[in-house]
Structure formats: structure tokens, C-alpha cells
Amino acid sequence: RKEVEQDPGPFNVPEGATVAFNCTYSNSASQSFFWYRQDCRKEPKLLMSVYSSGNEDGRFTAQLNRASQYISLLIRDSKLSDSATYLCVVNKAWGSYIPTFGRGTSLIVHP
Amino acid sequence: GAVVSQHPSRVICKSGTSVKIECRSLDFQATTMFWYRQFPKQSLMLMATSNEGSKATYEQGVEKDKFLINHASLTLSTLTVTSAHPEDSSFYICSAALLAGNADTQYFGPGTRLTVL
């Protein structure tokens, strides 16, 4: 089993749709979790950190389920500009930073 | 968020030359920096982890003598692609880790697109 797994997609959704991505991780000792967004031919940009209590930033909601070892990202009211690859990142160490990236989930929002 | 710069943003060179890429954390000190490579339509591939003042840790399959990494200060890491060949053409991205207890986060530079002719 890969350390961090994501469904590569692509997810094709119309504008205004709600879409959710999951990311599973294998190391139960993982400490911190993030979602990054990467546009074509650009560097990844931090979208949001994921906390145990879940967190929300506008149309984006991230959740962590430690028992089942997955994190999720929910995008409501999709915009064309949301089209990108969404990368799940898991930090597996406490006290140091050892990130593991998922391969990314591609989202295409169409008119 | 924190700012990481990378220079140059694009380089085209002849086969056999060496190319040096700089990565700087502009507004924070980064004890750890990472170097990634990404080929078109593929995922990020970690090449090495660089800690200030010590030797870089290379991922399996990455030649340390070909990809020289120097992390001389808390704000600067360099990657030198020695004797570059066309197969080294790729998008090289650095990132710097901002360590803040349980809020450790990494921020990426804008990347360097290397084309070796």
C-alpha cells in the first residue's frame, strides 16, 4: 500500500457543483496534513492545513478522519478557476518535517 | 503565507554544461529545504532533503554526484545539475519548511524550467 494515495481522476464537474476528494494514508503516526493546489506548469501552493476538528475556508472544507486514516477536501459551488490538481500531503513525523505527497487529483470544472 | 524564491525561473543550456539553481526563503529561516523534479503530466518527485549545515539526503535513484546540493545558510539552498543532458530537462521546484510545532508547513518556490539541448 502506498504511503499516501489519491484517486488521480480527472473529476469533470460543471460549474456550481460540489465535489469531494479523499486521500488515504498508511502511517497511523502521521501528525499533520495539508492540501495543496497545483496549476499546470506552476508550483504547488498551500490551500489549507487539515486539523482534527476539520476546517473551512470559504467554499473549501477539509476533514481529517484518524480512525480511518483519510483526509478529505470538499469544494462547494465549483468555479472554473478551481480547475487544477489537488495534492494531499502527509507529514509523518512529530518534531520534524518529513512530508509525503500523494500523486494528486485532477479537477476540471466546465461551463 | 511565507515566500520562497527560486532563480533562475527558466534556463536553456547545451548538453554537458552545469546549471545552478538557487532557492531562498525570503521571510523565514528554513532549517530544511526540499528539491523536487516534475516531468510533464507527472507528479512531483522528491529528489533530496537538505538540512542547513549538513549533507543532503538523496532519494533512491537520484545521483548525488550529478545533483549537487548545498545548504549553506538558513535561507539559501542551491542545486547544481552537473553535466546536464537532455533527459535532465524538467521542472525543478524547491520548497522550504517552516517549522512551527504542530503547524509545520512547506512553501514552494516558483520552480525552474530547465531545457537541455
Side-chain angles (χ1 to χ4, degrees):
Chain A
R1 181 183 177 188
K2 291 181 183 175
E3 287 190 69
V4 179
E5 290 200 69
Q6 292 182 254
D7 181 345
F11 284 66
N12 254 290
V13 302
E15 267 187 296
T18 295
V19 62
F21 309 133
N22 275 348
C23 167
T24 58
Y25 60 95
S26 60
N27 186 345
S28 60
S30 298
Q31 294 297 329
S32 50
F33 310 87
F34 309 88
W35 283 104
Y36 280 77
R37 168 197 170 124
Q38 186 176 25
D39 293 288
C40 187
R41 299 173 70 85
K42 298 282 189 181
E43 78 278 19
K45 290 189 187 294
L46 180 65
L47 183 63
M48 56 201 310
S49 303
V50 188
Y51 305 118
S52 297
S53 55
N55 48 313
E56 187 174 316
D57 183 3
R59 298 182 293 109
F60 298 84
T61 301
Q63 295 277 358
L64 166 63
N65 185 318
R66 283 194 183 272
S68 301
Q69 294 181 204
Y70 74 85
I71 65 172
S72 63
L73 177 67
L74 180 77
I75 305 175
R76 289 181 297 277
D77 188 23
S78 300
K79 311 289 184 194
L80 295 177
S81 57
D82 294 333
S83 299
T85 297
Y86 291 83
L87 302 167
C88 164
V89 181
V90 176
N91 176 23
K92 60 184 178 183
W94 180 255
S96 61
Y97 187 70
I98 306 177
T100 302
F101 278 76
R103 293 176 63 85
T105 297
S106 176
L107 172 65
I108 301 171
V109 182
H110 57 83
Chain B
V3 179
V4 176
S5 72
Q6 208 172 318
H7 178 80
S9 58
R10 183 182 297 269
V11 61
I12 301 172
C13 68
K14 293 182 180 179
S15 186
T17 59
S18 293
V19 176
K20 186 176 183 178
I21 303 170
E22 289 188 352
C23 177
R24 292 180 187 273
S25 56
L26 297 185
D27 51 0
F28 67 100
Q29 292 185 327
T31 52
T32 304
M33 289 186 171
F34 304 89
W35 285 97
Y36 295 86
R37 181 166 56 179
Q38 188 173 36
F39 293 104
K41 301 194 178 187
Q42 294 190 25
S43 57
L44 282 173
M45 187 191 82
L46 178 65
M47 298 176 68
T49 301
S50 167
N51 290 297
E52 185 263 341
S54 62
K55 290 184 179 179
T57 302
Y58 290 82
E59 294 299 300
Q60 194 171 12
V62 178
E63 299 173 59
K64 62 180 181 181
D65 294 329
K66 181 168 181 64
F67 299 98
L68 302 177
I69 292 173
N70 183 281
H71 193 161
S73 77
L74 288 172
T75 58
L76 173 64
S77 178
T78 60
L79 167 69
T80 302
V81 183
T82 61
S83 186
H85 288 93
E87 58 266 29
D88 298 323
S89 299
S90 187
F91 189 42
Y92 291 84
I93 313 174
C94 73
S95 72
L98 178 58
L99 304 183
N102 62 356
D104 301 344
T105 309
Q106 65 175 334
Y107 295 90
F108 286 84
T112 297
R113 199 160 297 281
L114 171 64
T115 303
V116 184
L117 303 175

